Amino acid sequence: MSIRFQEGSDVPVDLLRELYQHAPWSADRTASDIREMLQQTDLVLTAWDGTRLVGFGRALTDRVYRAILYDIIVHPDHQGRGLGRELVERLLNHPLLAKVPAISLFTRDKQAFYHKFGFVTEQEKGLTGMILVRGGSVYRETKKE
């Protein structure tokens, strides 16, 4: 597997939307919303297997105090090969984020993965995070079997 990483928001929206179909938290995103999101994001990193988009991650940051990672996703065919780890490491070590002391993210079920990079839960740090959710759920709810 020869994966090429690329930085920049000029990601083909149709390919990203297709990748988003593999995650319940992003499967209902529209092309127009994705296009706008890409334009407003500080750092976009993609992973390519030839012409196939197989990984994506992005960050918002003030470049001094805070940053937040979003949408770390790897195509199911490429999971378990270190691609997610590489995406996160490249984001965390990028010049826009390298000196930022507090980087956060949200995850429902990948805490063990992110612990490997030094992320801790708010409870482990004695913090209380809060979020304002307008107009319903931030993510489409998934049914538990």
Side-chain angles (χ1 to χ4, degrees):
M1 168 175 77
S2 176
I3 299 297
R4 173 178 51 89
F5 291 89
Q6 184 174 320
E7 181 184 327
S9 59
D10 57 341
V11 182
V13 172
D14 58 327
L15 296 182
L16 182 52
R17 189 163 185 237
E18 183 179 317
L19 183 61
Y20 275 153
Q21 297 302 304
H22 296 283
W25 47 263
S26 61
D28 61 350
R29 294 186 177 181
T30 66
S32 62
D33 285 348
I34 292 169
R35 190 173 296 105
E36 183 176 353
M37 173 272 297
L38 288 169
Q39 293 171 354
Q40 304 299 326
T41 297
D42 297 308
L43 176 59
V44 173
L45 185 63
T46 51
W48 300 84
D49 185 359
T51 59
R52 186 174 177 211
L53 179 63
V54 296
F56 178 83
R58 65 188 185 101
L60 298 177
T61 182
D62 61 20
R63 297 169 172 85
V64 178
Y65 302 111
R66 302 286 184 268
I68 186 164
L69 301 185
Y70 289 105
D71 299 354
I72 308 298
I73 185 169
V74 174
H75 191 283
D77 293 347
H78 285 73
Q79 291 177 3
R81 302 179 186 180
L83 184 53
R85 177 188 46 77
E86 184 76 15
L87 278 168
V88 173
E89 286 177 352
R90 285 175 179 256
L91 287 166
L92 294 176
N93 294 317
H94 190 278
L96 291 180
L97 304 183
K99 294 180 182 178
V100 174
I103 300 173
S104 56
L105 60 83
F106 292 95
T107 184
R108 286 186 176 171
D109 59 355
K110 304 293 186 211
Q111 291 85 358
F113 173 76
Y114 291 108
H115 268 109
K116 297 173 191 175
F117 302 98
F119 285 92
V120 295
T121 65
E122 293 170 333
Q123 293 81 15
E124 291 169 317
K125 262 314 204 192
L127 303 171
T128 301
M130 299 175 73
I131 184 171
L132 170 66
V133 179
R134 298 176 193 247
S137 177
V138 174
Y139 305 116
R140 184 174 65 177
E141 295 298 320
T142 55
K143 291 186 178 184
K144 304 237 182 205
E145 300 292 325

mmCIF file of all heavy atoms in Angstrom, residues 115-137:
data_model
loop_
_atom_site.group_PDB
_atom_site.id
_atom_site.type_symbol
_atom_site.label_atom_id
_atom_site.label_comp_id
_atom_site.label_asym_id
_atom_site.label_seq_id
_atom_site.Cartn_x
_atom_site.Cartn_y
_atom_site.Cartn_z
ATOM 1 N N HIS A 115 -6.105 7.747 23.277
ATOM 2 C CA HIS A 115 -5.236 7.698 24.453
ATOM 3 C C HIS A 115 -3.775 7.500 24.041
ATOM 4 O O HIS A 115 -2.860 8.019 24.686
ATOM 5 C CB HIS A 115 -5.657 6.566 25.399
ATOM 6 C CG HIS A 115 -6.623 6.981 26.446
ATOM 7 N ND1 HIS A 115 -7.940 6.585 26.422
ATOM 8 C CD2 HIS A 115 -6.479 7.748 27.547
ATOM 9 C CE1 HIS A 115 -8.565 7.094 27.470
ATOM 10 N NE2 HIS A 115 -7.702 7.816 28.169
ATOM 11 N N LYS A 116 -3.537 6.773 22.961
ATOM 12 C CA LYS A 116 -2.172 6.492 22.496
ATOM 13 C C LYS A 116 -1.409 7.768 22.142
ATOM 14 O O LYS A 116 -0.179 7.774 22.137
ATOM 15 C CB LYS A 116 -2.213 5.583 21.269
ATOM 16 C CG LYS A 116 -2.812 4.229 21.526
ATOM 17 C CD LYS A 116 -2.962 3.458 20.237
ATOM 18 C CE LYS A 116 -3.799 2.227 20.412
ATOM 19 N NZ LYS A 116 -4.049 1.541 19.129
ATOM 20 N N PHE A 117 -2.126 8.847 21.849
ATOM 21 C CA PHE A 117 -1.500 10.118 21.484
ATOM 22 C C PHE A 117 -1.399 11.073 22.672
ATOM 23 O O PHE A 117 -0.891 12.177 22.531
ATOM 24 C CB PHE A 117 -2.305 10.804 20.373
ATOM 25 C CG PHE A 117 -2.448 9.962 19.146
ATOM 26 C CD1 PHE A 117 -3.590 9.216 18.930
ATOM 27 C CD2 PHE A 117 -1.427 9.899 18.207
ATOM 28 C CE1 PHE A 117 -3.722 8.425 17.809
ATOM 29 C CE2 PHE A 117 -1.548 9.108 17.080
ATOM 30 C CZ PHE A 117 -2.696 8.364 16.883
ATOM 31 N N GLY A 118 -1.914 10.646 23.824
ATOM 32 C CA GLY A 118 -1.882 11.488 25.007
ATOM 33 C C GLY A 118 -3.201 12.164 25.328
ATOM 34 O O GLY A 118 -3.292 12.896 26.317
ATOM 35 N N PHE A 119 -4.225 11.935 24.532
ATOM 36 C CA PHE A 119 -5.536 12.502 24.845
ATOM 37 C C PHE A 119 -6.089 11.805 26.089
ATOM 38 O O PHE A 119 -5.887 10.610 26.281
ATOM 39 C CB PHE A 119 -6.522 12.308 23.681
ATOM 40 C CG PHE A 119 -6.283 13.229 22.528
ATOM 41 C CD1 PHE A 119 -5.473 12.848 21.473
ATOM 42 C CD2 PHE A 119 -6.868 14.491 22.483
ATOM 43 C CE1 PHE A 119 -5.247 13.696 20.403
ATOM 44 C CE2 PHE A 119 -6.649 15.344 21.420
ATOM 45 C CZ PHE A 119 -5.834 14.953 20.378
ATOM 46 N N VAL A 120 -6.766 12.565 26.928
ATOM 47 C CA VAL A 120 -7.416 12.025 28.116
ATOM 48 C C VAL A 120 -8.856 12.524 28.132
ATOM 49 O O VAL A 120 -9.188 13.520 27.492
ATOM 50 C CB VAL A 120 -6.701 12.459 29.419
ATOM 51 C CG1 VAL A 120 -5.296 11.868 29.487
ATOM 52 C CG2 VAL A 120 -6.655 13.966 29.552
ATOM 53 N N THR A 121 -9.689 11.843 28.873
ATOM 54 C CA THR A 121 -11.060 12.317 29.012
ATOM 55 C C THR A 121 -11.071 13.513 29.953
ATOM 56 O O THR A 121 -10.139 13.717 30.745
ATOM 57 C CB THR A 121 -11.992 11.224 29.567
ATOM 58 O OG1 THR A 121 -11.589 10.905 30.889
ATOM 59 C CG2 THR A 121 -11.974 9.977 28.685
ATOM 60 N N GLU A 122 -12.122 14.285 29.870
ATOM 61 C CA GLU A 122 -12.251 15.440 30.760
ATOM 62 C C GLU A 122 -12.233 15.009 32.219
ATOM 63 O O GLU A 122 -11.643 15.672 33.076
ATOM 64 C CB GLU A 122 -13.537 16.198 30.437
ATOM 65 C CG GLU A 122 -13.497 16.842 29.068
ATOM 66 C CD GLU A 122 -14.836 17.389 28.639
ATOM 67 O OE1 GLU A 122 -15.884 16.875 29.099
ATOM 68 O OE2 GLU A 122 -14.836 18.328 27.852
ATOM 69 N N GLN A 123 -12.858 13.880 32.520
ATOM 70 C CA GLN A 123 -12.895 13.391 33.888
ATOM 71 C C GLN A 123 -11.493 13.063 34.384
ATOM 72 O O GLN A 123 -11.160 13.317 35.533
ATOM 73 C CB GLN A 123 -13.798 12.151 34.003
ATOM 74 C CG GLN A 123 -15.265 12.430 33.768
ATOM 75 C CD GLN A 123 -15.622 12.512 32.281
ATOM 76 O OE1 GLN A 123 -14.871 12.102 31.410
ATOM 77 N NE2 GLN A 123 -16.789 13.068 31.992
ATOM 78 N N GLU A 124 -10.653 12.494 33.509
ATOM 79 C CA GLU A 124 -9.289 12.158 33.903
ATOM 80 C C GLU A 124 -8.469 13.408 34.222
ATOM 81 O O GLU A 124 -7.531 13.351 35.011
ATOM 82 C CB GLU A 124 -8.595 11.364 32.787
ATOM 83 C CG GLU A 124 -9.155 9.971 32.607
ATOM 84 C CD GLU A 124 -8.654 9.282 31.356
ATOM 85 O OE1 GLU A 124 -8.591 9.925 30.282
ATOM 86 O OE2 GLU A 124 -8.318 8.089 31.452
ATOM 87 N N LYS A 125 -8.812 14.524 33.642
ATOM 88 C CA LYS A 125 -8.111 15.783 33.886
ATOM 89 C C LYS A 125 -8.842 16.657 34.900
ATOM 90 O O LYS A 125 -8.389 17.742 35.224
ATOM 91 C CB LYS A 125 -7.991 16.578 32.588
ATOM 92 C CG LYS A 125 -6.704 16.494 31.834
ATOM 93 C CD LYS A 125 -5.497 16.633 32.697
ATOM 94 C CE LYS A 125 -4.319 17.116 31.912
ATOM 95 N NZ LYS A 125 -3.078 17.023 32.610
ATOM 96 N N GLY A 126 -10.002 16.200 35.381
ATOM 97 C CA GLY A 126 -10.761 16.978 36.346
ATOM 98 C C GLY A 126 -11.454 18.176 35.725
ATOM 99 O O GLY A 126 -11.698 19.181 36.393
ATOM 100 N N LEU A 127 -11.786 18.090 34.466
ATOM 101 C CA LEU A 127 -12.456 19.171 33.744
ATOM 102 C C LEU A 127 -13.916 18.830 33.504
ATOM 103 O O LEU A 127 -14.308 17.664 33.555
ATOM 104 C CB LEU A 127 -11.773 19.414 32.391
ATOM 105 C CG LEU A 127 -10.289 19.751 32.423
ATOM 106 C CD1 LEU A 127 -9.723 19.733 31.016
ATOM 107 C CD2 LEU A 127 -10.071 21.098 33.074
ATOM 108 N N THR A 128 -14.693 19.822 33.216
ATOM 109 C CA THR A 128 -16.070 19.616 32.806
ATOM 110 C C THR A 128 -16.277 20.354 31.489
ATOM 111 O O THR A 128 -16.244 21.575 31.447
ATOM 112 C CB THR A 128 -17.054 20.154 33.859
ATOM 113 O OG1 THR A 128 -16.806 19.492 35.084
ATOM 114 C CG2 THR A 128 -18.490 19.920 33.424
ATOM 115 N N GLY A 129 -16.440 19.607 30.429
ATOM 116 C CA GLY A 129 -16.695 20.204 29.124
ATOM 117 C C GLY A 129 -18.186 20.403 28.930
ATOM 118 O O GLY A 129 -19.005 19.718 29.535
ATOM 119 N N MET A 130 -18.510 21.336 28.089
ATOM 120 C CA MET A 130 -19.911 21.604 27.785
ATOM 121 C C MET A 130 -20.045 21.844 26.290
ATOM 122 O O MET A 130 -19.087 22.262 25.644
ATOM 123 C CB MET A 130 -20.398 22.828 28.562
ATOM 124 C CG MET A 130 -20.310 22.661 30.061
ATOM 125 S SD MET A 130 -20.740 24.165 30.951
ATOM 126 C CE MET A 130 -22.511 24.186 30.705
ATOM 127 N N ILE A 131 -21.221 21.572 25.773
ATOM 128 C CA ILE A 131 -21.484 21.800 24.366
ATOM 129 C C ILE A 131 -22.925 22.289 24.217
ATOM 130 O O ILE A 131 -23.825 21.797 24.904
ATOM 131 C CB ILE A 131 -21.237 20.526 23.521
ATOM 132 C CG1 ILE A 131 -21.427 20.799 22.038
ATOM 133 C CG2 ILE A 131 -22.116 19.376 23.994
ATOM 134 C CD1 ILE A 131 -20.980 19.652 21.144
ATOM 135 N N LEU A 132 -23.114 23.255 23.373
ATOM 136 C CA LEU A 132 -24.449 23.732 23.021
ATOM 137 C C LEU A 132 -24.808 23.101 21.692
ATOM 138 O O LEU A 132 -24.086 23.253 20.712
ATOM 139 C CB LEU A 132 -24.461 25.260 22.893
ATOM 140 C CG LEU A 132 -25.737 25.868 22.305
ATOM 141 C CD1 LEU A 132 -26.908 25.650 23.241
ATOM 142 C CD2 LEU A 132 -25.522 27.344 22.034
ATOM 143 N N VAL A 133 -25.898 22.364 21.660
ATOM 144 C CA VAL A 133 -26.352 21.713 20.437
ATOM 145 C C VAL A 133 -27.643 22.377 20.008
ATOM 146 O O VAL A 133 -28.651 22.314 20.717
ATOM 147 C CB VAL A 133 -26.556 20.196 20.650
ATOM 148 C CG1 VAL A 133 -27.053 19.543 19.373
ATOM 149 C CG2 VAL A 133 -25.258 19.551 21.124
ATOM 150 N N ARG A 134 -27.617 23.029 18.877
ATOM 151 C CA ARG A 134 -28.796 23.725 18.364
ATOM 152 C C ARG A 134 -29.591 22.820 17.430
ATOM 153 O O ARG A 134 -29.018 22.169 16.578
ATOM 154 C CB ARG A 134 -28.376 24.962 17.586
ATOM 155 C CG ARG A 134 -27.647 25.961 18.419
ATOM 156 C CD ARG A 134 -27.190 27.104 17.533
ATOM 157 N NE ARG A 134 -26.234 27.934 18.223
ATOM 158 C CZ ARG A 134 -26.467 29.188 18.582
ATOM 159 N NH1 ARG A 134 -27.610 29.742 18.298
ATOM 160 N NH2 ARG A 134 -25.551 29.875 19.204
ATOM 161 N N GLY A 135 -30.881 22.800 17.591
ATOM 162 C CA GLY A 135 -31.754 22.115 16.636
ATOM 163 C C GLY A 135 -31.611 20.613 16.580
ATOM 164 O O GLY A 135 -31.674 20.030 15.518
ATOM 165 N N GLY A 136 -31.402 19.968 17.683
ATOM 166 C CA GLY A 136 -31.354 18.508 17.672
ATOM 167 C C GLY A 136 -29.950 17.986 17.864
ATOM 168 O O GLY A 136 -29.081 18.664 18.385
ATOM 169 N N SER A 137 -29.720 16.791 17.397
ATOM 170 C CA SER A 137 -28.454 16.117 17.601
ATOM 171 C C SER A 137 -27.370 16.663 16.677
ATOM 172 O O SER A 137 -27.626 16.996 15.528
ATOM 173 C CB SER A 137 -28.623 14.619 17.346
ATOM 174 O OG SER A 137 -27.387 13.963 17.469
#
